[in-house]
Amino acid sequence: EDHITDKQVVNLPYIVLLEMGSDNMFADNQTHIETMTYNIILHQAQRDSTLESSIKTVFNTNHIPYQYDTEWDRDNLLYATTFTITQ
């Protein structure tokens, strides 16, 4: 099963990994460079800067470039910090 049903309880904070798809480079009817984009979404009741920094440290230590953005999810009453990486 690859999703959470309404009957399952998930404690905060938790992380969701989404494969967003590829963005390949093509030329001469061939794929020359393959890339995949992932969103890693951290869900929190309250923002925890230490937790967010530790995720950034993992990316930086492993030389993984990333972008991130945080939004308040009014429907679920939580913060969602999305880290986007392309590999």
Side-chain angles (χ1 to χ4, degrees), residues 8-59:
Q8 294 173 304
V9 176
V10 178
N11 296 322
L12 295 171
Y14 65 90
I15 289 179
V16 174
L17 172 66
L18 299 174
E19 184 178 276
M20 303 306 294
S22 64
D23 186 19
N24 299 335
M25 178 185 276
F26 306 95
D28 302 322
N29 295 322
Q30 292 185 353
T31 302
H32 291 278
I33 298 174
E34 295 183 37
T35 61
M36 185 65 72
T37 299
Y38 301 92
N39 282 349
I40 298 137
I41 307 170
L42 171 63
H43 297 273
Q44 311 172 79
Q46 297 177 10
R47 288 195 69 186
D48 182 344
S49 61
T50 303
L51 179 56
E52 291 177 18
S53 292
S54 67
I55 293 170
K56 294 173 189 177
T57 298
V58 169
F59 292 144

